Amino acid sequence: METNRYILSILVDNEPGVLSRISGLFSGRGFNIDSLSVAKTADPHVSVVTMVTFCDAHIIEQIKKQLHKLINVITVNDLTQKAYVERELALVKVHAKTDKRAEIMRIVDIFRSRIVDVGSSHFIVEVSGDSGKLNAFVELMKPMGIVEIASTGTIALGRETGK
């Protein structure tokens, strides 16, 4: 079986327990959620759950059918085969030794990121983009000495289709 990366955008009622029921569908079947992000939409009674998982096509179809059956799920949109914009946000705390500061600042500039905090021995860098960009940034920062990383996980919106 070939596993693929799937991005699901799920509109749900903004009520307690909804996320638990959604994630339960995955854990109950032994599948991992690679990334999970939840936020209110323009309507405060509705939230959007953006979920990334790796599985085969048959399993994702089963999961989507089960999601549709949940009472608090409004819509399930599989963005995987559609045009979409994807972003993640990460804060990366990196050792900023005096002899490496200029190099770190060059890398930050190349990635169109920004330093949001400066300490005597550390920088905290804010970087956003798709998961490939974040992974590339982290790989370049590893030799500097990454202290800590916090990431939002993937968020995504479908692109407008031509009329």
Side-chain angles (χ1 to χ4, degrees), residues 112-148:
R112 295 186 180 149
S113 300
R114 63 190 191 121
I115 297 170
V116 294
D117 187 61
V118 177
S120 59
S121 63
H122 298 93
F123 285 162
I124 296 179
V125 180
E126 175 187 293
V127 58
S128 67
D130 62 23
S131 57
K133 178 180 177 180
L134 269 63
N135 291 338
F137 182 83
V138 167
E139 286 303 312
L140 287 172
M141 287 294 118
K142 279 183 180 177
M144 309 302 167
I146 293 175
V147 176
E148 190 175 359

Side-chain angles (χ1 to χ4, degrees), residues 54-128:
F54 289 85
C55 60
D56 65 54
H58 175 72
I59 298 301
I60 200 68
E61 288 306 317
Q62 287 181 336
I63 288 170
K64 289 190 299 188
K65 286 177 184 174
Q66 292 297 314
L67 285 169
H68 280 292
K69 290 180 183 179
L70 292 177
I71 189 99
N72 297 108
V73 171
I74 300 165
T75 62
V76 178
N77 189 8
D78 184 352
L79 297 175
T80 310
Q81 300 299 320
K82 299 177 181 175
Y84 62 90
V85 175
E86 167 189 351
R87 291 291 180 269
E88 287 186 51
L89 171 68
L91 295 174
V92 181
K93 184 187 286 186
V94 62
H95 286 289
K97 297 175 185 150
T98 307
D99 61 329
K100 297 292 184 181
R101 285 182 178 240
E103 184 178 355
I104 293 169
M105 290 189 297
R106 277 194 299 277
I107 293 169
V108 166
D109 188 49
I110 289 168
F111 277 82
R112 295 186 180 149
S113 300
R114 63 190 191 121
I115 297 170
V116 294
D117 187 61
V118 177
S120 59
S121 63
H122 298 93
F123 285 162
I124 296 179
V125 180
E126 175 187 293
V127 58
S128 67

Side-chain angles (χ1 to χ4, degrees), residues 1-61:
M1 280 186 287
E2 182 181 341
T3 61
N4 295 309
R5 180 176 186 257
Y6 291 93
I7 299 178
L8 300 179
S9 179
I10 308 161
L11 283 180
V12 299
D13 294 328
N14 186 14
E15 295 180 4
V18 175
L19 182 60
S20 176
R21 287 190 290 280
I22 290 172
S23 63
L25 285 176
F26 282 78
S27 64
R29 287 160 181 76
F31 295 106
N32 190 41
I33 297 171
D34 190 62
S35 172
L36 180 66
S37 179
V38 183
K40 283 189 248 179
T41 64
D43 179 348
H45 298 97
V46 177
S47 291
V48 62
V49 177
T50 306
M51 188 178 299
V52 178
T53 190
F54 289 85
C55 60
D56 65 54
H58 175 72
I59 298 301
I60 200 68
E61 288 306 317

